[in-house]
Amino acid sequence: FPGVGLAAIAGHLTAIPDEAFIVAADMLASLAPSGALYPPLADLRSVSRAIAVAVLTAGLAQGWSSVEPKKIAEYVEAAMWEPAYRSYVPA
């Protein structure tokens, strides 16, 4: 679950309770198109973002996350890796 790992990084979680995986599984299922097991792989970034936000939001409600509620999406977005590659030009 990349989204759970993203939530752990964004929320500075010191532990990941079992409930986080239940929340992640529920969110993943809700994002899958009708009749599909999983969302399309092309949607991995947005799916991971949605799962991380859901996990941290649930963590606030259950007391194992202390992220500011209004900044959850901001923290998740800031923690996401953005690939940036240099152009390679042979010498």
Side-chain angles (χ1 to χ4, degrees):
F1 282 81
V4 175
L6 179 58
I9 292 167
H12 301 284
L13 301 180
T14 57
I16 303 172
D18 292 341
E19 293 85 4
F21 291 97
I22 294 169
V23 170
D26 286 342
M27 178 55 73
L28 182 65
S30 76
L31 296 171
S34 180
L37 257 154
Y38 299 107
L41 189 57
D43 297 343
L44 181 61
R45 290 181 64 79
S46 63
V47 169
S48 294
R49 182 183 299 111
I51 289 173
V53 168
V55 166
L56 288 175
T57 301
L60 278 172
Q62 297 175 12
W64 44 266
S65 173
S66 60
V67 177
E68 291 181 53
K70 293 181 181 180
K71 292 193 174 194
I72 289 176
E74 181 181 326
Y75 291 147
V76 168
E77 193 65 36
M80 291 187 78
W81 178 70
E82 194 66 43
Y85 301 103
R86 293 183 183 177
S87 297
Y88 176 74
V89 180

